[in-house]
mmCIF file of all heavy atoms in Angstrom:
data_model
loop_
_atom_site.group_PDB
_atom_site.id
_atom_site.type_symbol
_atom_site.label_atom_id
_atom_site.label_comp_id
_atom_site.label_asym_id
_atom_site.label_seq_id
_atom_site.Cartn_x
_atom_site.Cartn_y
_atom_site.Cartn_z
ATOM 1 N N LYS A 32 -19.817 -4.801 -3.457
ATOM 2 C CA LYS A 32 -19.389 -6.117 -3.033
ATOM 3 C C LYS A 32 -20.547 -7.122 -3.020
ATOM 4 O O LYS A 32 -21.648 -6.829 -2.543
ATOM 5 C CB LYS A 32 -18.784 -6.073 -1.625
ATOM 6 C CG LYS A 32 -17.414 -5.467 -1.539
ATOM 7 C CD LYS A 32 -16.887 -5.596 -0.116
ATOM 8 C CE LYS A 32 -15.555 -4.908 0.058
ATOM 9 N NZ LYS A 32 -15.074 -5.000 1.464
ATOM 10 N N LYS A 33 -20.280 -8.311 -3.550
ATOM 11 C CA LYS A 33 -21.202 -9.423 -3.498
ATOM 12 C C LYS A 33 -20.818 -10.409 -2.392
ATOM 13 O O LYS A 33 -21.675 -11.103 -1.850
ATOM 14 C CB LYS A 33 -21.263 -10.153 -4.841
ATOM 15 C CG LYS A 33 -21.618 -9.255 -6.022
ATOM 16 C CD LYS A 33 -23.008 -8.672 -5.869
ATOM 17 C CE LYS A 33 -23.382 -7.799 -7.063
ATOM 18 N NZ LYS A 33 -24.726 -7.187 -6.897
ATOM 19 N N ALA A 34 -19.544 -10.468 -2.097
ATOM 20 C CA ALA A 34 -19.031 -11.314 -1.035
ATOM 21 C C ALA A 34 -17.606 -10.886 -0.728
ATOM 22 O O ALA A 34 -16.915 -10.342 -1.597
ATOM 23 C CB ALA A 34 -19.063 -12.801 -1.447
ATOM 24 N N SER A 35 -17.153 -11.124 0.486
ATOM 25 C CA SER A 35 -15.761 -10.840 0.839
ATOM 26 C C SER A 35 -15.277 -11.847 1.867
ATOM 27 O O SER A 35 -16.069 -12.392 2.656
ATOM 28 C CB SER A 35 -15.610 -9.412 1.391
ATOM 29 O OG SER A 35 -16.328 -9.246 2.596
ATOM 30 N N VAL A 36 -13.974 -12.103 1.845
ATOM 31 C CA VAL A 36 -13.345 -13.061 2.757
ATOM 32 C C VAL A 36 -12.027 -12.470 3.221
ATOM 33 O O VAL A 36 -11.254 -11.948 2.414
ATOM 34 C CB VAL A 36 -13.090 -14.428 2.061
ATOM 35 C CG1 VAL A 36 -12.259 -15.334 2.983
ATOM 36 C CG2 VAL A 36 -14.383 -15.103 1.690
ATOM 37 N N LYS A 37 -11.776 -12.518 4.526
ATOM 38 C CA LYS A 37 -10.514 -12.075 5.096
ATOM 39 C C LYS A 37 -9.874 -13.246 5.833
ATOM 40 O O LYS A 37 -10.535 -13.915 6.607
ATOM 41 C CB LYS A 37 -10.708 -10.892 6.036
ATOM 42 C CG LYS A 37 -9.426 -10.344 6.630
ATOM 43 C CD LYS A 37 -9.692 -9.251 7.666
ATOM 44 C CE LYS A 37 -10.164 -7.989 7.021
ATOM 45 N NZ LYS A 37 -10.255 -6.855 8.004
ATOM 46 N N LYS A 38 -8.584 -13.461 5.594
ATOM 47 C CA LYS A 38 -7.865 -14.543 6.250
ATOM 48 C C LYS A 38 -6.466 -14.094 6.616
ATOM 49 O O LYS A 38 -5.945 -13.114 6.054
ATOM 50 C CB LYS A 38 -7.764 -15.773 5.318
ATOM 51 C CG LYS A 38 -9.060 -16.518 5.069
ATOM 52 C CD LYS A 38 -8.802 -17.740 4.209
ATOM 53 C CE LYS A 38 -10.086 -18.526 3.956
ATOM 54 N NZ LYS A 38 -10.616 -19.119 5.215
ATOM 55 N N ARG A 39 -5.854 -14.830 7.544
ATOM 56 C CA ARG A 39 -4.435 -14.636 7.802
ATOM 57 C C ARG A 39 -3.648 -15.015 6.552
ATOM 58 O O ARG A 39 -3.978 -15.954 5.847
ATOM 59 C CB ARG A 39 -3.968 -15.488 8.976
ATOM 60 C CG ARG A 39 -4.444 -15.010 10.331
ATOM 61 C CD ARG A 39 -3.953 -15.948 11.432
ATOM 62 N NE ARG A 39 -2.503 -16.048 11.428
ATOM 63 C CZ ARG A 39 -1.692 -15.208 12.052
ATOM 64 N NH1 ARG A 39 -2.197 -14.181 12.710
ATOM 65 N NH2 ARG A 39 -0.387 -15.378 12.031
ATOM 66 N N THR A 40 -2.601 -14.268 6.264
ATOM 67 C CA THR A 40 -1.776 -14.587 5.097
ATOM 68 C C THR A 40 -1.039 -15.894 5.263
ATOM 69 O O THR A 40 -0.907 -16.682 4.327
ATOM 70 C CB THR A 40 -0.761 -13.449 4.835
ATOM 71 O OG1 THR A 40 -1.500 -12.251 4.526
ATOM 72 C CG2 THR A 40 0.144 -13.774 3.657
ATOM 73 N N ARG A 41 -0.595 -16.164 6.468
ATOM 74 C CA ARG A 41 0.165 -17.391 6.693
ATOM 75 C C ARG A 41 0.045 -17.831 8.143
ATOM 76 O O ARG A 41 -0.244 -17.034 9.032
ATOM 77 C CB ARG A 41 1.653 -17.155 6.344
ATOM 78 C CG ARG A 41 2.350 -16.209 7.300
ATOM 79 C CD ARG A 41 3.666 -15.681 6.758
ATOM 80 N NE ARG A 41 4.598 -16.737 6.382
ATOM 81 C CZ ARG A 41 5.761 -16.516 5.821
ATOM 82 N NH1 ARG A 41 6.142 -15.266 5.563
ATOM 83 N NH2 ARG A 41 6.566 -17.500 5.491
ATOM 84 N N ASN A 42 0.264 -19.108 8.368
ATOM 85 C CA ASN A 42 0.461 -19.628 9.707
ATOM 86 C C ASN A 42 1.947 -19.586 10.007
ATOM 87 O O ASN A 42 2.792 -19.385 9.124
ATOM 88 C CB ASN A 42 -0.078 -21.052 9.819
ATOM 89 C CG ASN A 42 -1.590 -21.112 9.681
ATOM 90 O OD1 ASN A 42 -2.297 -20.257 10.202
ATOM 91 N ND2 ASN A 42 -2.092 -22.101 8.967
ATOM 92 N N SER A 43 2.304 -19.798 11.253
ATOM 93 C CA SER A 43 3.706 -19.645 11.672
ATOM 94 C C SER A 43 4.642 -20.589 10.932
ATOM 95 O O SER A 43 5.814 -20.264 10.723
ATOM 96 C CB SER A 43 3.811 -19.879 13.184
ATOM 97 O OG SER A 43 3.352 -21.164 13.532
ATOM 98 N N ASP A 44 4.136 -21.747 10.504
ATOM 99 C CA ASP A 44 4.999 -22.719 9.846
ATOM 100 C C ASP A 44 4.816 -22.764 8.332
ATOM 101 O O ASP A 44 5.334 -23.652 7.652
ATOM 102 C CB ASP A 44 4.787 -24.112 10.443
ATOM 103 C CG ASP A 44 3.332 -24.565 10.336
ATOM 104 O OD1 ASP A 44 2.460 -23.719 10.036
ATOM 105 O OD2 ASP A 44 3.052 -25.766 10.563
ATOM 106 N N ASP A 45 4.055 -21.815 7.774
ATOM 107 C CA ASP A 45 3.818 -21.804 6.331
ATOM 108 C C ASP A 45 5.053 -21.327 5.568
ATOM 109 O O ASP A 45 5.704 -20.360 5.959
ATOM 110 C CB ASP A 45 2.643 -20.894 5.982
ATOM 111 C CG ASP A 45 1.295 -21.537 6.248
ATOM 112 O OD1 ASP A 45 1.274 -22.746 6.522
ATOM 113 O OD2 ASP A 45 0.271 -20.830 6.210
#
Side-chain angles (χ1 to χ4, degrees):
K32 286 185 184 178
K33 303 298 181 181
S35 64
V36 172
K37 182 185 289 188
K38 290 184 179 293
R39 288 179 58 85
T40 297
R41 68 196 304 176
N42 293 319
S43 58
D44 57 347
D45 281 350

